[in-house]
Amino acid sequence: MRVPVIRKNIKFTPDSRRVVARYFVNGDERTKQMVGRIMMLDEKQVLETLEQTLREFARRHRNISAIFFRHCEKIKPVIEAMQIDYEAMSLDRKMLIGSYCTMEYAIESAAIFNPSIVEDFDQSGLEAGEKRVIISFRATGEGHISSIVFRRGILDKDNNLQVMKIGHNIDKAEIEHKTLFNKERFLLKLSEMHTQDKYIAQIMQDLPDEFEFAILKSMVTTALSDPSIRQERRTALEEIIWLADSFYDLQFKHDSDITERVIFPISDSESRGIEDARFVRFDDEDGSSRVMATYTAYNGHAILPKLISTEDFYTFRVMPLHGIGAQNKNLALFPRKIKGKYAMLARIDGVNNYIMYSDRVTQWNTPLLLQEPRYTWEFTQIGNCGSPLWTTEGWLVITHGVGTMRRYCIGASLFDLDDPSKEIGRLKEPLLSPLEDEREGYVPNVVYSCGAIIHNNSLILPYAVSDYSSTYAIVDMIELIDALKKSK
């Protein structure tokens, strides 16, 4: 039984005009050469070069002079190693040095895809049948580095989406890293990451049960400075640092619009991108609400599942997920506890859907097999397309399946409210397949979503088109639930 799907005529496409001012260096030796050349300029030449730079770039960024100062501070040890009195340098010279350590990066020049949608915290001033929403996207630029960007809009009574105007100056957050760690939990996560114990045992043995990041970093830096160090040991030691560096808070300025806030890769664990954030509005048992998302951090050779949490979209807390269930990609949190426990969907083996329960939102063990590929359009793998949706008839899970020619389609399943390990129904045919005009893109033949909502008794399903652009579709909930109940 085919469920009717209405595709809406709206498209989110990459915009190469959206740029951030990113830190940029070419190694200590080349940086020293660059600084040496700048130090040869007199103050008049410094000012002329700086003013020319500000004329060309100040209008493209919010407070770019502060960015230049911050980037100059990052190479302060290199400057001081050149026997230069850093404090005696003029502010203009510091800004100029910082400008050479800055580059523009077009965050969504290649693609804007894999969307998820949540209710905004603010629902004031709306007409009957309207809902204010926030849509997140995976934005990808040069080098396929991914970040998270947002759009705000209003769904009307007919499920048409009015998207708010996009802000001009993109704002990166201020960062505050975690400084104190529990050694036992830290070692457990290293084990889950398959970091080889024989290469890190001595360092971890010398640390107290509660240790500071600065002490750990100093010990690892000393060990890495050994010119005879083997590559296997170097990799293991680097993994220690990028795990410790993966806990942090983000703070955006309150005068930035949500469309101007980008969650850009911060830690070494994310150096190659932040992938597929699945945002969900989580309602706690005490009546409070927050928005959380699981995402995949990627550093070029390893992935690390992480959790991000916010109560206002200005301040975000970021931390890794732990446990044998916190493996691979495709984790999606339920929007409320079930029988007093957090619940999570996962695809730990890359093929099948799993479910797990936990007393802690960051600790996931004992995954239970939930679904295996059953139909030809999902024989390669089955996974979720975002967090489950509560309905009176059961938990609605939007799924994805991969079939012949690596074609991605979107499906749907229904699970028992009290025991989500019990499947009530599952669509035999895809809910959404790539149309002919949706087949071309960065990755052909793909439709994919990271999260939907229910509004006006309709499923609002944002989805990516071949990993290039995004749009959304509408499905009548009565027809969908009826089809799922008949599909068993």
Side-chain angles (χ1 to χ4, degrees):
M1 176 181 177
R2 284 279 188 178
V3 180
V5 175
I6 301 172
R7 284 168 161 87
K8 288 292 188 176
N9 188 26
I10 187 171
K11 203 167 194 179
F12 299 92
T13 55
D15 186 349
S16 59
R17 296 170 299 177
R18 290 171 57 77
V19 294
V20 294
R22 183 182 176 192
Y23 180 58
F24 164 73
V25 289
N26 273 316
D28 286 0
E29 193 54 43
R30 291 181 64 178
T31 300
K32 287 178 182 178
Q33 293 173 5
M34 177 268 292
V35 170
R37 296 183 186 108
I38 295 172
M39 295 306 296
M40 296 294 292
L41 301 176
D42 60 36
E43 287 298 330
K44 184 174 182 291
Q45 291 173 307
V46 166
L47 184 59
E48 288 175 349
T49 308
L50 179 61
E51 285 182 341
Q52 180 184 359
T53 303
L54 292 174
R55 279 198 305 272
E56 294 182 6
F57 292 95
R59 70 184 183 276
R60 295 166 63 89
H61 302 276
R62 186 191 304 271
N63 198 0
I64 196 168
S65 59
I67 296 172
F68 290 165
F69 277 125
R70 188 162 59 245
H71 290 175
C72 184
E73 284 285 323
K74 283 179 173 286
I75 65 164
K76 181 178 177 181
V78 175
I79 295 172
E80 292 181 333
M82 299 171 64
Q83 307 303 311
I84 296 171
D85 186 349
Y86 185 84
E87 302 306 325
M89 285 197 305
S90 69
L91 297 181
D92 287 343
R93 197 175 296 269
K94 289 178 181 177
M95 268 203 291
L96 183 60
I97 290 173
S99 71
Y100 281 92
C101 297
T102 305
M103 62 174 284
E104 284 193 334
Y105 183 84
I107 57 173
E108 57 187 57
S109 58
I112 181 168
F113 60 120
N114 293 2
S116 71
I117 185 170
V118 293
E119 295 180 26
D120 197 341
F121 290 111
D122 178 14
Q123 294 296 321
S124 62
L126 299 178
E127 302 290 336
E130 292 184 336
K131 180 171 288 185
R132 187 173 287 111
V133 296
I134 294 173
I135 309 171
S136 70
F137 299 89
R138 176 181 171 186
T140 301
E142 177 190 356
H144 200 71
I145 297 175
S146 300
S147 53
I148 301 171
V149 297
F150 303 98
R151 302 288 189 273
R152 178 178 271 125
I154 295 175
L155 287 163
D156 67 16
K157 59 183 177 62
D158 298 316
N159 296 322
N160 296 310
L161 178 65
Q162 178 186 355
V163 182
M164 301 297 102
K165 189 176 179 180
I166 300 171
H168 295 295
N169 295 319
I170 298 178
D171 193 25
K172 289 169 68 178
E174 297 293 332
I175 308 151
E176 183 178 335
H177 283 91
K178 182 177 178 180
T179 58
L180 192 65
F181 294 89
N182 177 280
K183 184 162 77 170
E184 182 180 359
R185 288 200 293 268
F186 197 84
L187 283 169
L188 279 173
K189 189 59 193 177
L190 286 171
S191 175
E192 292 159 14
M193 290 162 50
H194 307 295
T195 301
Q196 296 191 51
D197 181 67
K198 63 181 179 179
Y199 296 123
I200 64 172
Q202 186 60 57
I203 282 180
M204 297 308 297
Q205 180 180 316
D206 292 342
L207 289 168
D209 292 340
E210 299 282 337
F211 64 88
E212 293 183 357
F213 174 68
I215 295 174
L216 173 67
K217 188 169 185 178
S218 175
M219 295 170 66
V220 172
T221 301
T222 300
L224 288 172
S225 64
D226 181 356
S228 64
I229 188 172
R230 294 177 57 191
Q231 184 57 46
E232 295 87 350
R233 178 169 165 77
R234 177 178 294 278
T235 300
L237 293 173
E238 288 173 346
E239 287 177 355
I240 293 179
I241 292 301
W242 69 254
L243 172 59
D245 208 33
S246 294
F247 298 80
Y248 56 86
D249 290 342
L250 299 174
Q251 177 65 59
F252 289 95
K253 296 180 179 66
H254 278 75
D255 63 351
S256 66
D257 183 71
I258 193 167
T259 63
E260 297 177 316
R261 299 171 216 154
V262 56
I263 300 178
F264 198 75
I266 300 297
S267 66
D268 289 343
S269 64
E270 303 165 347
S271 59
R272 299 305 299 170
I274 295 173
E275 300 182 358
D276 302 348
R278 286 159 158 76
F279 281 89
V280 62
R281 176 80 174 263
F282 185 87
D283 297 318
D284 221 329
E285 295 168 314
D286 61 4
S288 64
S289 292
R290 51 187 161 149
V291 169
M292 293 193 281
T294 55
Y295 72 85
T296 304
Y298 180 58
N299 72 344
H301 63 83
I303 62 172
L304 180 66
K306 299 181 77 171
L307 182 77
I308 188 167
S309 175
T310 184
E311 296 179 4
D312 55 12
F313 283 91
Y314 288 105
T315 303
F316 295 82
R317 172 150 289 182
V318 181
M319 63 201 80
L321 295 174
H322 304 271
I324 60 172
Q327 307 286 328
N328 216 300
K329 301 182 178 183
N330 219 230
L331 287 93
L333 187 68
F334 278 69
R336 62 180 69 174
K337 289 182 178 179
I338 299 173
K339 296 181 180 178
K341 292 184 178 292
Y342 294 101
M344 181 87 82
L345 296 177
R347 197 188 66 220
I348 62 170
D349 57 9
V351 177
N352 306 300
N353 259 336
Y354 290 78
I355 189 169
M356 15 184 208
Y357 304 93
S358 178
D359 293 318
R360 292 175 51 201
V361 74
T362 56
Q363 186 72 40
W364 297 96
N365 291 297
T366 322
L368 306 170
L369 183 63
L370 184 66
Q371 290 178 306
E372 298 175 289
R374 182 185 301 167
Y375 305 115
T376 55
W377 56 275
E378 58 187 19
F379 271 6
T380 299
Q381 73 185 49
I382 183 173
N384 70 72
C385 269
S387 293
L389 299 167
W390 184 93
T391 76
T392 56
E393 302 296 327
W395 289 108
L396 174 63
V397 175
I398 306 303
T399 62
H400 71 264
V402 182
T404 58
M405 296 295 293
R406 198 173 174 258
R407 184 180 75 151
Y408 276 68
C409 297
I410 294 176
S413 300
L414 192 65
F415 297 90
D416 185 82
L417 285 176
D418 294 323
D419 183 2
S421 65
K422 296 179 180 177
E423 186 181 87
I424 297 172
R426 179 171 169 182
L427 295 184
K428 295 180 174 65
E429 299 289 336
L431 183 64
L432 203 69
S433 301
L435 296 179
E436 191 61 30
D437 63 355
E438 295 175 329
R439 295 182 59 190
E440 314 303 334
Y442 191 79
V443 181
N445 308 306
V446 173
V447 288
Y448 193 87
S449 178
C450 283
I453 61 170
I454 296 170
H455 176 57
N456 292 330
N457 209 28
S458 298
L459 176 70
I460 311 297
L461 178 62
Y463 67 95
V465 177
S466 292
D467 282 9
Y468 171 72
S469 62
S470 296
T471 184
Y472 79 107
I474 305 297
V475 182
D476 182 271
M477 283 298 297
I478 294 176
E479 293 179 337
L480 178 56
I481 295 297
D482 183 57
L484 284 164
K485 291 170 73 173
K486 290 178 179 178
S487 66
K488 190 65 176 175

